Amino acid sequence: GLLDFIARPIRAHMPPDTRLIAVDVFSPFFIPLKVLLLVGVMAAMPWVVYQIWAFIAPGLYRHEKRFVLPLIIFGSFLAYCGIAFVQFFVLEHMFAFIQSFTSDAINAMPDVASYVEAILSLYLAFAAAFQVPVVVILLVKMGMLSIAQLKSWRGYFVLTAAVVAAIITPPDALSMLAMLGSMVVLYELGIFLAQFFTPKAIDASDSDTAAP
């Protein structure tokens, strides 16, 4: 089932025939429901965001309507990519990293409730972090920042991303570096895409040089 699927990364690094344990008496009932709730929310996310867009659409200009809908689809796709990145890369390498420091005298038997809560928080954190290109495009589209400013502030963004990654990821270097690297790459992707979404605001320096 779904619980077996999301537990696969940690069970791959546990001793053979070892399972996650349920410390709380109600965990076997509530944990699968929590997982199903998250899956339902993620599956319905494009529809939910579309309904929000449909509510505000009457107050938008025609060119803004054409711009918002593709951005909603793009943001939903990035959220799914963030969750997939956690499931198929971050968790696998994170537990391998943790296991490398575990003594042979310790028989790890993680609690399923704490495990599910930890990975669900990682799913949400990476889904949010993967929205960096959307934020960058919106900032340029609304005229709040120019492409030139975004390029010149790369160092500040890397520092900010490092602080954010250190706060919202588990206390291991690998997951923090994975989020930091992802956010930096996505920041550059946002700058690249913003030039196509906002051709009139490609670079403030271009308009300065063109001025008489």
Side-chain angles (χ1 to χ4, degrees), residues 3 6 31 34-35 111-121:
L3 192 55
I6 65 174
I31 293 303
K34 186 178 292 188
V35 174
D111 174 41
V112 63
S114 60
Y115 170 75
V116 169
E117 290 175 3
I119 64 170
L120 291 186
S121 64

Side-chain angles (χ1 to χ4, degrees), residues 83-155:
I83 294 173
F85 183 64
V86 172
Q87 179 67 27
F88 297 107
F89 178 82
V90 176
L91 293 178
E92 173 69 25
H93 292 81
M94 182 179 73
F95 291 127
F97 176 79
I98 294 173
Q99 186 64 29
S100 65
F101 289 93
T102 302
S103 171
D104 293 335
I106 300 175
N107 185 14
M109 298 180 66
D111 174 41
V112 63
S114 60
Y115 170 75
V116 169
E117 290 175 3
I119 64 170
L120 291 186
S121 64
L122 273 177
Y123 288 160
L124 295 175
F126 274 80
F130 270 54
Q131 302 304 307
V132 169
V134 176
V135 175
V136 170
I137 293 171
L138 285 174
L139 289 174
V140 176
K141 180 67 175 179
M142 293 186 295
M144 299 178 65
L145 291 175
S146 67
I147 300 296
Q149 288 174 317
L150 290 169
K151 290 179 178 179
S152 65
W153 291 352
R154 283 188 176 104

